[in-house]
Amino acid sequence: QQQVKQSPQSLIVQKGGISIINCAYENTAFDYFPWYQQFPGKGPALLIAIRPDVSEKKEGRFTISFNKSAKQFSLHIMDSQPGDSATYFCAARSGGSNYKLTFGKGTLLTVNP
Amino acid sequence: DSGVTQTPKHLITATGQRVTLRCSPRSGDLSVYWYQQSLDQGLQFLIQYYNGEERAKGNILERFSAQQFPDLHSELNLSSLELGDSALYFCASSAGRPEPEQFFGPGTRLTVL
């Protein structure tokens, strides 16, 4: 059972455009939603994260939009650059006594110059 | 650089063998998480340790085991290796409550021949 569904699987955007990646979750016990960026041969790097009591969070060119009632959240990358080309993963954390992350399957973003 | 270190970077071994992957968390972080990344399964949580004690288990096979030592470094032991165990293995660390952020190491690429 895939608890976090991510789409699209791949995305091609022109330089300067907006990249949008969507995720949906099922478990209402999730209480923290991070996005990770991964370059080939590297580990995932924390990009930005949001808690469900906030509907939007912005850090530079990266924005998370969160819709608690729909159990959906999305990553927007404004003014996309070729250096943003990477795989992006959404994740959700279970509450309680452990902080394990459940990841989406990832989106391969390519930004063409 | 996340501050999490993993060794070795690459590991090539044969079916039936046993290997040990090592992880040193960020300075001060008490929690260590192990994840497996494969093309078909994506990023999957294996196990979490907090200050030397097992805190949560995910999709970890019985052939796999882990431990966290008093100096907080962790080792993931994989035995009776099968071809399907070939994957990237990541370690992540976090400070624990109340900070949920997990920081990933560069990973160990395991190839089972």
Side-chain angles (χ1 to χ4, degrees):
Chain A
Q1 180 188 8
Q2 186 184 355
Q3 294 194 51
V4 179
K5 294 183 179 179
Q6 183 171 347
S7 63
Q9 214 169 359
S10 63
L11 180 62
I12 299 175
V13 174
Q14 291 301 117
K15 179 182 175 182
I18 302 173
S19 304
I20 302 174
I21 304 170
N22 301 298
C23 283
Y25 63 96
E26 299 165 3
N27 188 348
T28 55
F30 288 146
D31 64 355
Y32 167 75
F33 301 85
W35 284 89
Y36 283 83
Q37 178 190 58
Q38 186 178 26
F39 293 103
K42 303 292 185 182
L46 181 63
L47 197 59
I48 186 172
I50 198 167
R51 292 186 182 272
D53 53 349
V54 176
S55 61
E56 186 174 281
K57 182 174 181 180
K58 183 176 181 179
E59 290 185 2
R61 296 185 294 109
F62 301 92
T63 300
I64 300 179
S65 296
F66 189 86
N67 185 329
K68 188 175 181 178
S69 61
K71 292 187 285 186
Q72 295 175 347
F73 58 110
S74 59
L75 176 69
H76 292 64
I77 306 175
M78 312 300 288
D79 187 25
S80 298
Q81 298 297 311
D84 296 331
S85 297
T87 300
Y88 292 81
F89 294 92
C90 63
R93 185 194 74 169
S94 306
S97 61
N98 73 75
Y99 291 161
K100 71 172 187 177
L101 293 174
T102 301
F103 284 86
K105 292 288 191 183
T107 297
L108 178 60
L109 171 65
T110 302
V111 181
N112 289 328
Chain B
D1 184 3
S2 67
V4 179
T5 61
Q6 289 186 248
T7 57
K9 191 171 177 62
H10 301 280
L11 201 48
I12 302 174
T13 188
T15 55
Q17 294 299 304
R18 172 190 169 94
V19 296
T20 297
L21 282 54
R22 182 188 169 105
C23 167
S24 293
R26 294 186 317 157
S27 176
D29 282 359
L30 299 178
S31 273
V32 169
Y33 306 78
W34 286 96
Y35 292 87
Q36 180 192 59
Q37 186 175 38
S38 62
L39 282 174
D40 54 343
Q41 294 295 322
L43 268 163
Q44 297 278 317
F45 167 75
L46 295 177
I47 196 165
Q48 177 204 1
Y49 277 83
Y50 178 82
N51 202 19
E53 293 187 2
E54 182 184 304
R55 181 62 62 91
K57 265 187 174 179
N59 301 318
I60 188 166
L61 300 171
E62 286 191 9
R63 301 183 285 109
F64 295 1
S65 65
Q67 54 184 329
Q68 186 179 27
F69 295 87
D71 67 352
L72 300 178
H73 92 270
S74 178
E75 293 181 356
L76 179 67
N77 301 295
L78 314 177
S79 61
S80 302
L81 285 168
E82 302 175 359
L83 295 177
D85 298 327
S86 296
L88 273 165
Y89 291 85
F90 288 105
C91 165
S93 75
S94 73
R97 292 182 177 180
E99 298 174 18
E101 291 85 0
Q102 291 185 26
F103 298 89
F104 281 72
T108 292
R109 180 174 293 280
L110 173 66
T111 302
V112 182
L113 301 176

